[in-house]
Amino acid sequence: MANSHQLKRVDFIFRNENDWEKVLSTTIKKKPQELINALISSELKGRGGAGFPTGLKWKLTAESKEKQKYVICNADEGEPGTFKDREILSRVPYKVLTAMAICGYITGANKGYIYLRGEYKFLLPELNKVIDEFSYYCKEINLDFNIEIFMGSGAYICGEETALMESMEGKRGEPRNKPPFPTQAGYMGKPTVINNVETLVHSFTIFKYGAKKFYDLGVQYSRGTKLFSVSGDTPKPGIYELELGMSLQDFVYEFGDGDTKAVQVGGASGFLVPRKKFKDAAIGFKGKLTGISLPTGGSMMLFNSSRSMFNVLDNYLEFFREESCGQCTPCRVGCQQLLLGIKAVKRGEKPASYLDKLLRLTETMQYTAKCGLGQSVANSFSSIVANFREEMIY
Amino acid sequence: MSKKLNMTINGLPVEISAGKTILEAAEEQGLKIPTLCHHKDLCVAGNCRVCVVEVTGQNRLSAACATPCEEGMEILTNSLKVRNSRKQIIELLLAEHNADCTKCYRNGNCELQTLASEYKIMTQDFLELVPLKNYTIDAFSPSIIKDDSKCIKCQRCVRTCAELQGVNALTVAHKGDQMKITTFFEKAMRDIVCTNCGQCVNHCPTSALVEKNYIEEVWEAIANPNKHVVVQTAPAVRVGLGEELGLKPGKRVTGQMVAALKRLGFDSVLDTDFTADLTIIEEGTELLTRLKKVLVEKDESVTLPMATSCSPGWIKYIEHMYPEHLENLSTCKSPQQMFGALVKTYYANARNLEPENIVSVSIMPCTAKKYEAFRPEMHDSGYRDVDYVLTTRELAILIKQAGLDFNKLEPVKYDRLMGESSGAAVIFGATGGVMEAALRTAYEIVTGREVPFENLNITPVRGIDGIREASIKIENPVKEWAFLDGVELKCAIAHGLVNAKTVMDSVRAGTADYHFIEFMACPGGCLGGGGQPIPTNPEIRQKRSEAIYAEDEGLLIRKSHENPEIKKLYKDFLKEPLGEVSHHLLHTQYTKRDRY
């Protein structure tokens, strides 16, 4: 049962092991198929929030007959409340690079890019140093793989994988139509594996310790560990590596300040859970057996009773209004309508029932927006409005 | 040959060839799915989301225009979820759109308006966003007005400018609620690389981009008893106008159009085709002269290939993009401007009129012609050579405002003195037409015989390919042109500026061994011009093209140099091609322009 799961701290990601060279050189002696099987049996899912099975992604790319392929590390960490990827890149960058190179070996890609968030420019000198050292070693072991950093310019949407590739191709960062998916036609129209920083680090763990070690952590459908960026009204803000599948109750017990009113799981594009649902909610990907399962890119924001949930939502919507790329109608206009709509209700210019119209709008956005940004605005909006409706009105 | 997929659409089993989108599949079944950002001329965008459909088993809806069909797909195009979502999307667009439809230029021919009507959006529940945005209207360009308050951000104009024209004058800037379609550094349309071709206008679903209209100015001129108002109509107008007046594409309305113009009160209704013929004489002679200088006199100051100069969008394009190649351009003015210069000189003399009392109006399939008429150098008659340029669409407005029942008008012929024309002039309206007309005349001048094609139809230069090449071998020329014996006259044709770019890049690289190149800014040539009726798409352009060639076939005179009025013009006024008067009135020079 999900809600009986205790909070378990783990230390894989930041465990400082200076053996990446060994991991790399021994891993690439194995057959790609064997490695893909390991990844698949580990049940590792993408840690950016969407949760696509990583092994399948690599497998699809590996199966493509195209000559040129790419590996991209998505380091455009922009979800409000997340700061884990920055920490990984500062503390254990070589794990990321090693995972990328192994991915290149498995899929047949000889080129990797790190798409680094514009705001993380300060990481650049150190990262470049590590990349130099890494390339040197790749040459030594005759591994044809090189890595470059591509600097983003500060648009949230560019964390969306296809917008990220558009941006890398020198175009305006706008999401593409899917299909085709990046595994078929990604960067420069070539098959591309694109993974979040953290996902790559987990794959390092799997290659080093074996799939079983990873699989044995977490719960069904949500295997392994996850880095959580904990912020808000908490005495212990920071980054924690925890097993997936914990109940929110346990999480709040550990990180709350005793007066936690709600937790926003997954940042502005995630879900808000009010106190009364803490014990029913588990942190992990959607599965058939769990109650409420909440996927997350790692952002956990705690709010205590001093917070106005109207202000919280207002803040999120302000963010979305600005960070929508503006390309598709439901997202561009929808975000503006939601923001102005709740303000109008608050001011009494629209009746309370207007919130229901806005809820229907978020449904339309969820069904029809072109990419995950527009689709997920519904999550925070509907979960906040449904649980704190009176705070929206009075 | 192509693989078939089995799917169902709205419960009915259908067989679809692989590779089609859901939108195309539905269309094959005679089922219309509404679209806004989609256009047959342009790449798939999937921006507006109006075309969403339900694929059974998926929670999210799919954009029909951007989703490929798959085996076993079950598609619902009209489920309640689809309808509700679509309706909300239309409502969202209306909330962001200046929906003051009664005061809109595109009232009655607006895709958003049509959709709003189909979905019966009767109230505005969402908050109006337009008043919050402080829009300004850019009306500085002589050709195009850009009104952001009408823009629905479908990016059709952006894709048009990039894909069809390769100009990229329009682009998307900013994000979120600030996102808008704008120009380099958000400069005014008149201050950027914009070629004024108007393809953005033709592809805009609403009124965000429209031609600058001069309807009231023309009405005033007509109403002024002291003014003699002359109107000229371009070759492509006669095959487009009907569409704007409720007829099917491809209907020729030459006679009714002339009749209508007379009823509107123009003092003289004349034909740009006349100066199209004149252009052929002047340009053909210029080409032959250049050939002679290069081949015989080995004059290195003369540039080949020679490029046509009748498309003002193309002229502005080369001025911006290839300013070092202006020497390649023929110095001939466009037929419109030749006409303008002659109206206030030759015509004024012959009719015993004071040129300052003449108002020269032209009806063009083109928005760039408005700009061309405004070019400062176009004053060779001593006055502005052409006073007002109306598009095909504007002429239709005049006809509607005057209450004329267009279909009941008896066909009438053009007035005389600059009203006579040939089939060669008519085909100026289609891509390859200028080339064909020029070859008909040049070949005959050089060899004394007609072009060796059945019934004068030089079919290799016709067609819809973006770039076409043709060559014609000169054998047994007359004595004067003996040096051309055995020379293979090589020509190329490019329409749509993106194709012009390809050809010009080869000219710049020195790999183009052509003698003569026809460039038209718009896809299909003038028949697909930026001033032609909206909508435009490949099928419609094809029908207009057929109508143009049919008109040519039906005419007795099909070669420019056989136009009797042209002969008379040279005898009475110009004396000889490229002569002094021609040089002064009919030729021009070009301006180097920056890109930014």
Side-chain angles (χ1 to χ4, degrees):
Chain A
M1 290 288 283
N3 52 10
S4 67
H5 182 90
Q6 294 298 306
L7 213 56
K8 284 187 201 143
R9 292 182 64 163
V10 198
D11 179 25
F12 274 120
I13 290 177
F14 296 118
R15 190 185 291 173
N16 216 348
E17 305 140 305
N18 286 317
D19 59 350
W20 60 269
E21 287 143 317
K22 196 173 142 238
V23 174
L24 179 58
S25 58
T26 53
T27 306
I28 63 166
K29 284 195 186 98
K30 296 178 184 160
K31 288 202 174 76
Q33 190 57 51
E34 192 185 323
L35 296 168
I36 287 178
N37 289 345
L39 210 50
I40 289 175
S41 65
S42 76
E43 291 189 14
L44 169 63
K45 290 178 181 177
R47 277 354 189 202
F52 188 82
T54 307
L56 182 58
K57 194 183 267 188
W58 291 23
K59 181 170 180 262
L60 290 170
T61 308
E63 280 167 358
S64 165
K65 300 230 155 40
E66 288 259 13
K67 265 197 182 137
Q68 182 68 61
K69 297 174 190 178
Y70 297 99
V71 178
I72 297 175
C73 166
N74 185 346
D76 192 60
E77 182 175 41
E79 187 62 49
T82 52
F83 33 87
K84 63 184 175 70
D85 291 346
R86 174 182 68 190
E87 202 64 10
I88 294 172
L89 288 171
S90 342
R91 287 167 60 185
V92 288
Y94 49 85
K95 287 191 180 180
V96 180
L97 303 185
T98 306
M100 287 175 76
I102 294 171
C103 177
Y105 162 72
I106 292 174
T107 57
N110 64 358
K111 182 84 203 171
Y113 290 97
I114 297 174
Y115 188 98
L116 189 63
R117 184 181 188 199
E119 291 84 342
Y120 291 174
K121 200 177 168 193
F122 66 93
L123 293 174
L124 207 49
E126 198 52 43
L127 263 182
N128 274 325
K129 236 186 271 171
V130 181
I131 287 175
D132 282 348
E133 191 193 340
F134 185 79
S135 315
Y136 187 79
Y137 181 70
C138 285
K139 274 194 202 104
E140 259 184 10
I141 59 168
N142 281 325
L143 179 67
D144 177 21
F145 191 77
N146 68 78
I147 297 174
E148 254 180 72
I149 295 178
F150 187 99
M151 285 306 298
S153 310
Y156 173 72
I157 188 62
C158 289
E160 197 279 342
E161 54 186 20
T162 59
L164 182 150
M165 290 171 198
E166 288 284 292
S167 155
M168 280 180 62
E169 289 174 14
K171 291 177 257 171
R172 184 180 156 81
E174 284 183 350
R176 298 174 183 168
N177 291 299
K178 289 194 265 189
F181 294 93
T183 49
Q184 305 160 258
Y187 177 55
M188 301 305 255
K190 302 294 176 192
T192 304
V193 168
I194 173 162
N195 281 137
N196 179 266
V197 174
E198 188 192 339
T199 314
L200 288 165
V201 171
H202 285 302
S203 78
F204 180 93
T205 306
I206 291 163
F207 295 130
K208 180 171 172 185
Y209 295 103
K212 183 150 190 325
K213 191 115 180 170
F214 186 86
Y215 180 86
D216 286 346
L217 296 166
V219 296
Q220 195 176 13
Y221 304 113
S222 297
R223 297 290 172 186
T225 70
K226 172 92 196 72
L227 277 189
F228 291 92
S229 313
V230 181
S231 65
D233 296 319
T234 167
K236 296 195 269 186
I239 293 166
Y240 301 88
E241 186 177 358
L242 304 169
E243 252 186 76
L244 274 175
M246 71 211 177
S247 86
L248 203 51
Q249 181 104 306
D250 294 337
F251 176 84
V252 172
Y253 183 77
E254 174 78 19
F255 293 102
D257 63 356
D259 184 28
T260 304
K261 168 180 171 181
V263 180
Q264 178 78 16
V265 181
S269 60
F271 296 86
L272 180 115
V273 185
R275 185 183 293 160
K276 64 174 185 274
K277 291 181 186 162
F278 286 167
K279 67 176 181 339
D280 302 323
I283 309 304
F285 301 101
K286 248 202 174 61
K288 286 167 203 155
L289 297 178
T290 46
I292 307 169
S293 29
L294 297 164
T296 171
S299 161
M300 304 292 279
M301 287 187 233
L302 294 96
F303 300 106
N304 67 19
S305 59
S306 71
R307 306 293 164 187
S308 147
M309 294 322 289
F310 173 85
N311 286 348
V312 170
L313 180 58
D314 181 82
N315 199 298
Y316 290 162
L317 291 172
E318 188 79 59
F319 175 78
F320 284 128
R321 172 176 73 165
E322 208 174 290
E323 292 296 349
S324 161
C325 77
Q327 181 189 192
C328 81
T329 313
C331 180
R332 181 188 66 246
V333 196
C335 290
Q336 297 178 63
Q337 289 294 345
L338 294 177
L339 176 66
L340 297 174
I342 62 161
K343 285 182 194 285
V345 170
K346 190 80 174 172
R347 282 198 299 261
E349 289 162 14
K350 286 274 184 190
S353 62
Y354 191 65
L355 289 173
D356 300 320
K357 170 125 188 149
L358 296 179
L359 281 167
R360 281 195 297 279
L361 171 59
T362 54
E363 254 176 50
T364 299
M365 291 169 71
Q366 192 181 5
Y367 297 150
T368 64
K370 191 167 179 174
C371 81
L373 196 168
Q375 290 159 5
S376 62
V377 177
N379 301 346
S380 51
F381 188 93
S382 55
S383 55
I384 292 176
V385 171
N387 292 305
F388 294 93
R389 191 179 171 98
E390 68 294 340
E391 285 193 38
M392 301 299 121
I393 302 165
Y394 306 108
Chain B
M1 166 80 196
S2 75
K3 216 180 112 201
K4 294 279 181 190
L5 303 174
N6 292 299
M7 325 194 305
T8 68
I9 301 184
N10 300 339
L12 297 173
V14 292
E15 216 185 47
I16 302 294
S17 21
K20 299 231 164 182
T21 61
I22 294 175
L23 183 70
E24 289 165 333
E27 199 174 54
E28 252 179 41
Q29 306 301 315
L31 197 61
K32 197 186 135 213
I33 295 174
T35 57
L36 275 174
C37 70
H38 185 73
H39 196 288
K40 281 188 178 168
D41 279 340
L42 307 173
C43 74
V44 166
N47 295 342
C48 73
R49 313 308 279 180
V50 162
C51 71
V52 285
V53 295
E54 190 169 348
V55 178
T56 309
Q58 293 178 9
N59 185 39
R60 290 193 191 111
L61 303 177
S62 301
C65 71
T67 310
C69 291
E70 282 170 32
E71 178 66 32
M73 238 181 197
E74 293 171 25
I75 295 160
L76 300 173
T77 68
N78 195 35
S79 66
L80 191 63
K81 188 168 165 184
V82 166
R83 273 193 53 81
N84 286 343
S85 297
R86 253 184 220 160
K87 196 168 174 188
Q88 274 206 330
I89 290 170
I90 300 165
E91 283 182 54
L92 288 177
L93 282 169
L94 288 170
E96 201 194 28
H97 175 83
N98 174 0
D100 205 352
C101 295
T102 51
K103 287 184 219 147
C104 180
Y105 193 59
R106 286 285 295 272
N107 186 6
N109 181 13
C110 165
E111 293 176 38
L112 181 61
Q113 192 183 38
T114 306
L115 263 182
S117 158
E118 277 174 11
Y119 278 76
K120 290 290 162 247
I121 314 282
M122 320 267 292
T123 53
Q124 177 57 284
D125 289 345
F126 287 126
L127 298 161
E128 286 277 1
L129 300 176
V130 179
L132 306 173
K133 303 224 168 163
N134 248 334
Y135 291 110
T136 49
I137 297 176
D138 174 3
F140 295 118
S141 155
S143 297
I144 293 169
I145 296 176
K146 180 167 175 284
D147 178 356
D148 292 346
S149 74
K150 307 275 176 69
C151 178
I152 59 167
K153 283 111 180 161
C154 65
Q155 303 192 29
R156 260 155 61 165
C157 56
V158 177
R159 282 176 283 148
T160 301
C161 205
E163 289 173 31
L164 292 181
Q165 303 300 65
V167 173
N168 295 294
L170 293 168
T171 186
V172 184
H174 309 297
K175 57 185 165 60
D177 58 328
Q178 304 292 315
M179 181 266 205
K180 64 173 175 178
I181 310 301
T182 183
T183 57
F184 180 71
F185 261 85
E186 311 203 356
K187 288 181 178 182
M189 293 284 280
R190 68 162 179 206
D191 296 329
I192 56 167
V193 287
C194 174
T195 66
N196 302 296
C197 72
Q199 285 303 315
C200 56
V201 173
N202 268 12
H203 290 82
C204 178
T206 68
S207 194
L209 288 153
V210 293
E211 73 265 31
K212 186 147 178 178
N213 83 69
Y214 296 90
I215 294 168
E216 297 308 321
E217 287 83 346
V218 170
W219 279 131
E220 277 197 28
I222 290 173
N224 186 338
N226 300 322
K227 296 288 183 192
H228 179 88
V229 189
V230 178
V231 66
Q232 52 163 319
T233 68
V237 176
R238 64 205 66 186
V239 298
L241 180 66
E243 289 165 42
E244 204 70 10
L245 295 163
L247 303 176
K248 286 214 166 98
K251 181 90 178 130
R252 276 183 285 139
V253 294
T254 320
Q256 288 102 309
M257 175 180 70
V258 176
L261 286 164
K262 294 196 171 200
R263 299 273 188 102
L264 292 177
F266 287 101
D267 294 299
S268 195
V269 181
L270 303 174
D271 199 352
T272 315
D273 288 19
F274 169 77
T275 37
D277 279 334
L278 182 60
T279 302
I280 289 304
I281 308 294
E282 291 288 327
E283 202 167 74
T285 312
E286 186 186 356
L287 175 65
L288 292 172
T289 311
R290 284 199 195 195
L291 286 172
K292 190 172 181 179
K293 283 188 175 154
V294 172
L295 296 176
V296 181
E297 297 162 17
K298 308 285 177 206
D299 183 345
E300 283 179 4
S301 69
V302 174
T303 311
L304 281 178
M306 188 173 96
T308 59
S309 55
C310 12
S311 166
W314 148 245
I315 295 295
K316 183 126 187 287
Y317 179 79
I318 186 175
E319 287 179 334
H320 282 295
M321 306 292 190
Y322 298 90
E324 72 281 15
H325 281 284
L326 297 182
E327 294 286 318
N328 288 86
L329 285 173
S330 160
T331 59
C332 286
K333 283 184 186 171
S334 72
Q336 164 176 281
Q337 293 308 129
M338 286 196 181
F339 203 103
L342 288 179
V343 157
K344 295 192 178 175
T345 53
Y346 172 65
Y347 177 90
N349 273 339
R351 288 294 193 87
N352 207 8
L353 293 162
E354 291 299 328
E356 68 256 37
N357 291 332
I358 295 179
V359 177
S360 153
V361 178
S362 61
I363 314 292
M364 293 283 144
C366 178
T367 51
K369 289 283 172 196
K370 293 170 185 276
Y371 162 79
E372 184 184 46
F374 271 69
R375 286 177 76 115
E377 65 270 25
M378 294 298 179
H379 269 74
D380 290 330
S381 60
Y383 305 86
R384 184 192 284 169
D385 297 335
V386 174
D387 293 291
Y388 302 111
V389 179
L390 306 185
T391 59
T392 309
R393 297 187 290 264
E394 288 167 83
L395 172 58
I397 294 169
L398 293 186
I399 291 170
K400 285 184 201 162
Q401 288 182 350
L404 298 178
D405 188 342
F406 192 69
N407 291 317
K408 287 194 181 149
L409 295 175
E410 278 300 314
V412 173
K413 282 197 170 356
Y414 282 99
D415 288 324
R416 276 298 169 255
L417 200 63
M418 303 175 61
E420 180 85 62
S421 77
S422 73
V426 170
I427 57 174
F428 261 60
T431 164
V434 178
M435 179 61 67
E436 183 166 348
L439 290 178
R440 284 181 193 173
T441 288
Y443 192 87
E444 197 163 320
I445 291 175
V446 171
T447 64
R449 302 183 304 276
E450 285 188 344
V451 282
F453 288 92
E454 194 187 335
N455 199 17
L456 292 177
N457 296 337
I458 311 181
T459 43
V461 304
R462 298 187 182 181
I464 50 152
D465 291 344
I467 297 170
R468 304 188 294 282
E469 293 175 327
S471 68
I472 186 165
K473 196 166 184 184
I474 295 171
E475 283 164 328
N476 299 323
V478 297
K479 204 170 152 197
E480 194 190 343
W481 301 100
F483 67 93
L484 286 176
D485 197 8
V487 167
E488 202 168 321
L489 193 62
K490 288 187 180 166
C491 3
I493 291 139
H495 61 121
L497 291 171
V498 77
N499 296 312
K501 178 180 190 302
T502 308
V503 173
M504 281 312 293
D505 283 344
S506 71
V507 169
R508 177 148 71 186
T511 55
D513 63 344
Y514 313 115
H515 299 105
F516 191 36
I517 311 174
E518 178 199 303
F519 288 100
M520 288 292 154
C522 294
C526 302
L527 60 85
Q532 290 283 64
I534 301 170
T536 176
N537 62 44
E539 293 95 70
I540 290 175
R541 290 195 291 272
Q542 179 60 33
K543 295 213 167 93
R544 290 177 192 161
S545 166
E546 285 159 15
I548 278 185
Y549 287 112
E551 176 127 351
D552 167 39
E553 295 252 15
L555 287 170
L556 285 175
I557 304 171
R558 297 186 56 210
K559 291 175 284 190
S560 297
H561 56 280
E562 288 178 358
N563 180 338
E565 280 198 343
I566 292 284
K567 290 182 185 169
K568 188 169 154 51
L569 172 70
Y570 275 106
K571 185 165 152 279
D572 294 352
F573 187 67
L574 296 174
K575 305 305 172 199
E576 57 173 347
L578 301 185
E580 203 188 314
V581 187
S582 295
H583 180 75
H584 174 59
L585 289 179
L586 309 182
H587 291 258
T588 186
Q589 69 287 330
Y590 306 102
T591 310
K592 290 188 177 178
R593 294 176 202 276
D594 292 334
R595 239 187 239 208
Y596 306 108

